[in-house]
C-alpha cells in the first residue's frame, strides 16, 4: 500500500524508519554514476528534503527528466541522513514524474536572480526560496491580524470595494464603469451621464474602508477591516502600490492615547508572532539579504515607541541642520527622508508623531483647541517611514460640518457618514496599517513589489 502524502515540513521532523510519500518541485539534482541527490521542496517550509536514489534502480530517461523545476512524487524509506544539514532523507524506491521543466527554457534553472528579474517573472517567482519565505510570512501575518483582533473582541467588518464616495481625500481613485468609453451617454450639458452607468451613479474603487468602518464602530463598538485598497497615484517608489492591503481598526470610546496604545501593542504582537512562528524563513532572509533583520525585529518588541507632537518633530528636523531634499518647516507634510531621520538618526526607535497641522490631514480628524492642529497620529518605522496613519475622529457634528464647509467639500455622496454624528455620536478613533509596509519591515525586503504576490504599480498589471 502506498503511504499517504505528507508535507516536507512534517517529514523533516519525523523519526526515521518508515515508508513515506513526498511530492514537490525539484530544486537541484546532483550526484554521479552511483548515487543521485535530489533536493525536493513542496512549499511547506524553506527547507528541502533530500532524496537519495540509486541510479541503477531507475530508468535513465526518468533520471534525465528530473531537472530543476520538475514536479515529482517520491515513495521511499525515511532514513537518518548520512550527510550534514538534515536529520532525515528519503531513500527512493519509486519516483513518479508529474511535470518536466525543460532546462533550456525554465527561467529559474539557475540560482541567484536579481529581484528586478524576478519581478518580470512574477508568475513563477513563488517557486524561489525568497518568495516562498516572504509568502509564508505574509500568510502568518494575515492570520495573526485576525487572531489579535479576535482575542480582543473586535469584529471583522467587510467594507465595500466599490464606492460612490470620493471625499476621503486619501488619494486619487480608479473609476469603475461599464459605460462604453468610446461612446458614453451624455447629459444635456455634455457631461457623461452616470445615471446610465451600472450603479446609476459615478463609482470608484475604495481608497480606505474607514468611513464605513466608523458606521460599524458606532454600532458594534470595536471593528476592523482588512482588505485591498486602491490608489491611482503615479508614485513609483519602493513603498507605494496601486493595489495594497490595509488593516483598519475603528473603536468607539477610544481617545488618541488609547489609539496609540493599540497601534503599538498591535505591531509588537505581529512582530512577536513572526519571531515565534516564522523563524526558519526569517533566518533565511536574515542570512541572504539583511544580517540585522532578526535583531531588529527583536529590538522593536522590546522598546517603547517615542510619542511626539509634530511641532516638536519639526523643531528637531530644523535644528538638525541636515540639508534635506525637501526643505522642512512647520506646516509641511513630512517626506520619508524626514520621518526616517527622526526614527533612524535621532531616536533610534519607532516614533508616533501626533497633532499634525489640520491642513495636511483629512477632514474627519478631531480638531484640537489650538485651532490649527488635529489629533492625528502616524507611526513611523525604521527603513520604511509611515507604516500606520490614524487619528481620533471629530465627533461633534457642528465642528465637522464647519470643517467640511471650510474645505468646500461636496458631501452629496457622504450624507450617510454624517449620520454617525447626527445620531448617537461618540468619541472614537482608528487607524490604518499598510499591510505591505508591515511586511517590508518584517521580511527586511527593500521593495514593496516584493512582498505581495502580484504587484500592481503604474504600467504593470500583467500577472
Ligand atoms: O495614511 P493613510 O492614507 O490613512 C488612511 O487611509 C486612513 N483612512 C486610515 C484610517 O485611519 N483608518 O493610509 C494608511 C496606511 C499608511 O500609513 C501606509 O502604511 C499605507 O496605508 N499606505 C500604502 N501602502 C502601500 N501603497 C500605498 N500607495 C499606500 N498608501 C498608504
Ligand atoms: Mg497617511
Amino acid at each position: 500500500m502506498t503511504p499517504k502524502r505528507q508535507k516536507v515540513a512534517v517529514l523533516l521532523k519525523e523519526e526515521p524508519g518508515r515508508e513515506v510519500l513526498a511530492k514537490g518541485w525539484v530544486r537541484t539534482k546532483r550526484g554521479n554514476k552511483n548515487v543521485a541527490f535530489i533536493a525536493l521542496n513542496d512549499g511547506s517550509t524553506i527547507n528541502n528534503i533530500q532524496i537519495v536514489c540509486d541510479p541503477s534502480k531507475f530508468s535513465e530517461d526518468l533520471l534525465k527528466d528530473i531537472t530543476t523545476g520538475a514536479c515529482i512524487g517520491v515513495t521511499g524509506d525515511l532514513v537518518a541522513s548520512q550527510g550534514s544539514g538534515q536529520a532525515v532523507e528519503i531513500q527512493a524506491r519509486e519516483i513518479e514524474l508529474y511535470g518536466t521543466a525543460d532546462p533550456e527554457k525554465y527561467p529559474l534553472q539557475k540560482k541567484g536572480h536579481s529581484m528586478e528579474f524576478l519581478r518580470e517573472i512574477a508568475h513563477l517567482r513563488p517557486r524561489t526560496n525568497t518568495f516562498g519565505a516572504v509568502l509564508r510570512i505574509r500568510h502568518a501575518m494575515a492570520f495573526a491580524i485576525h487572531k489579535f483582533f479576535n482575542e480582543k473582541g473586535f469584529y471583522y467588518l467587510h467594507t465595500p470595494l466599490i464606492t460612490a464616495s470620493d471625499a476621503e481625500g486619501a488619494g486619487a481613485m480608479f473609476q469603475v464603469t461599464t459605460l462604453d468609453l468610446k461612446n458614453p451617454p451624455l447629459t444635456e450639458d455634455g457631461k457623461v451621464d452616470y445615471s446610465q452607468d451600472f450603479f446609476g451613479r459615478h463609482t470608484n474603487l475604495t481608497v480606505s474602508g474607514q468611513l464605513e468602518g466608523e458606521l460599524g464602530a458606532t454600532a458594534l463598538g470595536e471593528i476592523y477591516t482588512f482588505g485591498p485598497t486602491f490608489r491611482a497615484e503615479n508614485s513609483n517608489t519602493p513603498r507605494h502600490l496601486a493595489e495594497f492591503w490595509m488593516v483598519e481598526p475603528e473603536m468607539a470610546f477610544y481617545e488618541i492615547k488609547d489609539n496609540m496604545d493599540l497601534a503599538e501593542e498591535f505591531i509588537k504582537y505581529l512582530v512577536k508572532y513572526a519571531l515565534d512562528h516564522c523563524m526558519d524563513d526569517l533566518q533565511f532572509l536574515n542570512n541572504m539579504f539583511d544580517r540585522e533583520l532578526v535583531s531588529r525585529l527583536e529590538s522593536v518588541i522590546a522598546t517603547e515607541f517615542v510619542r511626539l507632537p509634530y511641532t516638536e518633530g519639526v523643531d528637531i528636523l530644523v535644528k538638525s541642520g541636515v540639508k534635506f531634499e525637501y526643505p522642512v518647516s512647520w506646516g509641511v507634510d513630512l517626506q520619508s527622508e524626514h520621518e526616517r531621520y527622526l526614527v533612524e538618526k535621532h531616536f533610534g526607535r519607532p516614533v508616533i508623531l501626533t497633532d499634525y497641522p489640520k491642513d495636511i490631514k483629512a477632514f474627519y480628524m478631531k480638531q484640537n483647541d489650538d485651532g490649527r492642529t488635529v489629533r492625528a497620529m502616524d507611526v513611523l518605522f525604521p527603513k520604511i517611514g509611515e507604516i500606520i496613519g490614524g487619528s481620533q475622529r471629530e465627533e461633534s457634528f457642528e465642528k465637522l460640518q464647519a470643517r467640511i464647509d471650510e474645505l468646500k467639500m461636496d458631501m452629496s455622496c457622504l450624507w450617510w457618514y454624517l449620520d454617525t454624528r447626527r445620531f448617537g455620536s461618540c468619541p472614537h478613533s482608528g487607524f490604518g496599517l499598510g499591510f505591505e509596509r508591515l511586511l517590508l519591515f518584517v521580511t527586511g525586503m527593500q521593495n514593496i513589489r516584493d512582498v505581495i504576490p502580484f504587484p500592481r504599480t503604474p504600467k504593470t498589471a500583467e500577472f
Side-chain angles (χ1 to χ4, degrees), residues 226-241:
F226 182 17
T229 47
F230 308 87
R231 296 190 186 179
E233 289 138 303
N234 204 355
S235 13
N236 249 315
T237 83
R239 291 178 319 279
H240 288 88
L241 290 165

Side-chain angles (χ1 to χ4, degrees), residues 206-249:
T206 189
V207 294
S208 157
Q210 179 196 323
L211 301 187
E212 294 89 352
E214 289 185 50
L215 298 172
T218 53
L220 297 165
E222 293 163 338
I223 64 92
Y224 68 105
T225 72
F226 182 17
T229 47
F230 308 87
R231 296 190 186 179
E233 289 138 303
N234 204 355
S235 13
N236 249 315
T237 83
R239 291 178 319 279
H240 288 88
L241 290 165
E243 177 180 300
F244 65 98
W245 286 61
M246 190 159 38
V247 188
E248 294 182 277

Side-chain angles (χ1 to χ4, degrees), residues 168 170 207-208 210 231 233 235 239-242 244 246 248-250 364 378 386-391 393 430-437 448:
E168 218 251 335
V207 294
S208 157
Q210 179 196 323
R231 296 190 186 179
E233 289 138 303
S235 13
R239 291 178 319 279
H240 288 88
L241 290 165
F244 65 98
M246 190 159 38
E248 294 182 277
E250 191 71 34
Y364 50 68
D378 278 9
E386 180 189 337
I387 193 166
I388 281 182
S391 73
R393 319 303 189 193
F431 62 80
L433 167 77
F435 186 51
E436 286 77 18
R437 299 252 177 113
I448 200 161

Side-chain angles (χ1 to χ4, degrees), residues 25-44:
W25 293 269
V26 174
R27 282 289 205 264
T28 56
K29 187 183 71 177
R30 62 191 172 84
N32 52 41
K33 286 201 304 286
N34 304 317
V35 63
F37 298 102
I38 300 164
L40 192 71
N41 189 284
D42 69 355
S44 61

